[in-house]
Amino acid sequence: MPESTAALAVAGGAPALSDLPPFPSWPQGTVEEENGLLAVLRSGKWGSAQGDVVASFEGEFAEYQGSRHAVAAANGTVALVVALRALGVGLGDEVIVPSYTFFATAAAPLFVGALPVFVDIDPRTHLMDPVAVRSAITDRTKAIIPVHIAGNIADMDALLQLKQEFGIPIIEDAAQAAGAYYKGGPVGAIGDIGTFSFQSSKNIASGEGGILVTNDDALSDAIYSMVNVGRVRGGGWYEHRALGYNLRLSEFQGAVLRAQLRRHPEQQELRAANAARLRAGLIDCAGIELPPENPDVTAHGHHLFMMRFPELGRAGLRDAAVRALQAEGVPGVFPGYVALHQNEALLAESASIAVRLGLSVPEAACPMTELVCADTIWLGQHVLLGTENQINGVIQALRKVAGAVEELRAIAAE
Ligand SMILES: Cc1ncc(COP(=O)(O)O)c(C=O)c1O
């Protein structure tokens, strides 16, 4: 496809996506969700301690992710906290996390009094770099949390090798990777525990919600207890054997999630087809770098479509490009994360814990994270539910903006 020389919409040109119907919105509720919600309403069993809707969903999700157990929890953030506690991670321990991820991945260790140790990413994939993980391991390291960012999958073989060598458990933060497959099998229970989020933007959504998966019976019992006020499966209501929270989902959320899960495979097919279309339309575009295709990722989670714009990033024009894409009519455009190893709230909490325990805050150098934080742009997953014409319009808009460095520079200087 030739580069477009048309004027940017942000500078008064015609938008690349004019005359097209609006993109599908997200989250989507259908008559299936409605029927499920009404059935719960009328049953009088609104809590998962009374009804069986969340329990059914847990069984269905475990099957979907190929794990022996699944325990639903209030959200993906507390799912990570529960995973750490179930593995016995606590005061003064170190947990290795990537610096390029959502805040919760790094906050979770702090919630249990442990210190996040930030490692860098591979700038081509935005995924945790296993070489950096190896050099961050100390005798205080008690867990590693790879994040399957965007629905792409961390290098699990290399991380499992580290687990075997050092005996450090792995929690897969699969918040963005429902339905993703690594070497032919689903993510989540490749490591010791996997966590997922069902927050509104996720590909399976119930407004808020989360779940933990594991193949380990003892870990599953510990997780159940942590989510259910320290109770044991089959035990008494006032039989609190551990320090647990109440993190149960309601049956209303369970009803929505069962319907969402049923539609997920079909929606993923559409997302995958549109991601391939976008890829084909952008692969030769000067100014845009796409993550390389990885044969080990046998199904991508397609939560975000990630791109890097190195030239725009170097010129400090990434945010101007985001505004330009929005003006072209592209929905769901985000500049992406900020580097967490520089986040003041996380650093202050780390320092506060470290001082009280007479420890020092682990040093973090993550130059690749800083690089991609300046030049990355994502498209949200609902864009991948668009029509062929809409996706073609997005390609046109992206090519137009990627090729307009000088125009963007002039606009930014105004
Ligand atoms: C990578 C990652 N980890 C953790 C979370 C936390 O999930 P939640 O928002 O459900 O607490 C999210 C999503 O929001 C996420 O994207």
Side-chain angles (χ1 to χ4, degrees), residues 67-79:
S67 65
R68 198 147 50 184
H69 306 282
V71 180
N75 54 59
T77 303
V78 293

PDB file of all heavy atoms in Angstrom, residues 67-79:
ATOM      1  N   SER A  67      -7.107 -26.177  33.174  1.00  0.00           N
ATOM      2  CA  SER A  67      -6.530 -26.295  34.521  1.00  0.00           C
ATOM      3  C   SER A  67      -7.422 -27.203  35.369  1.00  0.00           C
ATOM      4  O   SER A  67      -8.613 -27.330  35.104  1.00  0.00           O
ATOM      5  CB  SER A  67      -6.414 -24.918  35.175  1.00  0.00           C
ATOM      6  OG  SER A  67      -7.700 -24.364  35.378  1.00  0.00           O
ATOM      7  N   ARG A  68      -6.829 -27.789  36.424  1.00  0.00           N
ATOM      8  CA  ARG A  68      -7.631 -28.672  37.267  1.00  0.00           C
ATOM      9  C   ARG A  68      -8.619 -27.859  38.132  1.00  0.00           C
ATOM     10  O   ARG A  68      -9.700 -28.324  38.442  1.00  0.00           O
ATOM     11  CB  ARG A  68      -6.696 -29.499  38.147  1.00  0.00           C
ATOM     12  CG  ARG A  68      -7.381 -30.702  38.705  1.00  0.00           C
ATOM     13  CD  ARG A  68      -6.505 -31.869  38.873  1.00  0.00           C
ATOM     14  NE  ARG A  68      -5.283 -31.508  39.598  1.00  0.00           N
ATOM     15  CZ  ARG A  68      -4.319 -32.355  39.812  1.00  0.00           C
ATOM     16  NH1 ARG A  68      -4.415 -33.569  39.330  1.00  0.00           N
ATOM     17  NH2 ARG A  68      -3.244 -31.996  40.472  1.00  0.00           N
ATOM     18  N   HIS A  69      -8.188 -26.678  38.540  1.00  0.00           N
ATOM     19  CA  HIS A  69      -9.037 -25.875  39.433  1.00  0.00           C
ATOM     20  C   HIS A  69      -9.149 -24.437  38.942  1.00  0.00           C
ATOM     21  O   HIS A  69      -8.203 -23.923  38.339  1.00  0.00           O
ATOM     22  CB  HIS A  69      -8.435 -25.819  40.837  1.00  0.00           C
ATOM     23  CG  HIS A  69      -8.139 -27.151  41.425  1.00  0.00           C
ATOM     24  ND1 HIS A  69      -9.102 -27.970  41.962  1.00  0.00           N
ATOM     25  CD2 HIS A  69      -6.965 -27.825  41.548  1.00  0.00           C
ATOM     26  CE1 HIS A  69      -8.542 -29.080  42.398  1.00  0.00           C
ATOM     27  NE2 HIS A  69      -7.249 -29.022  42.156  1.00  0.00           N
ATOM     28  N   ALA A  70     -10.272 -23.814  39.266  1.00  0.00           N
ATOM     29  CA  ALA A  70     -10.421 -22.369  39.067  1.00  0.00           C
ATOM     30  C   ALA A  70     -11.253 -21.836  40.230  1.00  0.00           C
ATOM     31  O   ALA A  70     -12.262 -22.432  40.605  1.00  0.00           O
ATOM     32  CB  ALA A  70     -11.123 -22.073  37.739  1.00  0.00           C
ATOM     33  N   VAL A  71     -10.780 -20.749  40.829  1.00  0.00           N
ATOM     34  CA  VAL A  71     -11.513 -20.119  41.940  1.00  0.00           C
ATOM     35  C   VAL A  71     -11.714 -18.647  41.581  1.00  0.00           C
ATOM     36  O   VAL A  71     -10.740 -17.914  41.386  1.00  0.00           O
ATOM     37  CB  VAL A  71     -10.731 -20.232  43.271  1.00  0.00           C
ATOM     38  CG1 VAL A  71     -11.517 -19.570  44.403  1.00  0.00           C
ATOM     39  CG2 VAL A  71     -10.409 -21.684  43.608  1.00  0.00           C
ATOM     40  N   ALA A  72     -12.968 -18.223  41.483  1.00  0.00           N
ATOM     41  CA  ALA A  72     -13.267 -16.834  41.119  1.00  0.00           C
ATOM     42  C   ALA A  72     -12.967 -15.907  42.295  1.00  0.00           C
ATOM     43  O   ALA A  72     -13.060 -16.306  43.461  1.00  0.00           O
ATOM     44  CB  ALA A  72     -14.737 -16.718  40.714  1.00  0.00           C
ATOM     45  N   ALA A  73     -12.599 -14.676  41.970  1.00  0.00           N
ATOM     46  CA  ALA A  73     -12.293 -13.675  43.010  1.00  0.00           C
ATOM     47  C   ALA A  73     -12.759 -12.307  42.516  1.00  0.00           C
ATOM     48  O   ALA A  73     -13.106 -12.146  41.349  1.00  0.00           O
ATOM     49  CB  ALA A  73     -10.804 -13.658  43.308  1.00  0.00           C
ATOM     50  N   ALA A  74     -12.724 -11.324  43.420  1.00  0.00           N
ATOM     51  CA  ALA A  74     -13.355 -10.028  43.134  1.00  0.00           C
ATOM     52  C   ALA A  74     -12.783  -9.298  41.922  1.00  0.00           C
ATOM     53  O   ALA A  74     -13.496  -8.600  41.222  1.00  0.00           O
ATOM     54  CB  ALA A  74     -13.248  -9.128  44.370  1.00  0.00           C
ATOM     55  N   ASN A  75     -11.494  -9.439  41.671  1.00  0.00           N
ATOM     56  CA  ASN A  75     -10.875  -8.779  40.508  1.00  0.00           C
ATOM     57  C   ASN A  75      -9.478  -9.354  40.281  1.00  0.00           C
ATOM     58  O   ASN A  75      -8.992 -10.180  41.074  1.00  0.00           O
ATOM     59  CB  ASN A  75     -10.830  -7.250  40.699  1.00  0.00           C
ATOM     60  CG  ASN A  75     -10.149  -6.853  41.986  1.00  0.00           C
ATOM     61  OD1 ASN A  75      -8.996  -7.187  42.204  1.00  0.00           O
ATOM     62  ND2 ASN A  75     -10.868  -6.167  42.862  1.00  0.00           N
ATOM     63  N   GLY A  76      -8.837  -8.896  39.218  1.00  0.00           N
ATOM     64  CA  GLY A  76      -7.516  -9.419  38.870  1.00  0.00           C
ATOM     65  C   GLY A  76      -6.430  -8.959  39.824  1.00  0.00           C
ATOM     66  O   GLY A  76      -5.410  -9.628  39.988  1.00  0.00           O
ATOM     67  N   THR A  77      -6.636  -7.798  40.461  1.00  0.00           N
ATOM     68  CA  THR A  77      -5.645  -7.285  41.418  1.00  0.00           C
ATOM     69  C   THR A  77      -5.591  -8.180  42.655  1.00  0.00           C
ATOM     70  O   THR A  77      -4.516  -8.660  43.042  1.00  0.00           O
ATOM     71  CB  THR A  77      -6.003  -5.835  41.837  1.00  0.00           C
ATOM     72  OG1 THR A  77      -6.085  -5.030  40.663  1.00  0.00           O
ATOM     73  CG2 THR A  77      -4.980  -5.261  42.781  1.00  0.00           C
ATOM     74  N   VAL A  78      -6.746  -8.418  43.263  1.00  0.00           N
ATOM     75  CA  VAL A  78      -6.729  -9.251  44.472  1.00  0.00           C
ATOM     76  C   VAL A  78      -6.411 -10.702  44.132  1.00  0.00           C
ATOM     77  O   VAL A  78      -5.878 -11.429  44.977  1.00  0.00           O
ATOM     78  CB  VAL A  78      -8.035  -9.143  45.301  1.00  0.00           C
ATOM     79  CG1 VAL A  78      -8.184  -7.769  45.897  1.00  0.00           C
ATOM     80  CG2 VAL A  78      -9.245  -9.551  44.514  1.00  0.00           C
ATOM     81  N   ALA A  79      -6.697 -11.120  42.910  1.00  0.00           N
ATOM     82  CA  ALA A  79      -6.317 -12.482  42.504  1.00  0.00           C
ATOM     83  C   ALA A  79      -4.797 -12.648  42.623  1.00  0.00           C
ATOM     84  O   ALA A  79      -4.303 -13.686  43.083  1.00  0.00           O
ATOM     85  CB  ALA A  79      -6.792 -12.766  41.078  1.00  0.00           C
TER      86      ALA A  79
END
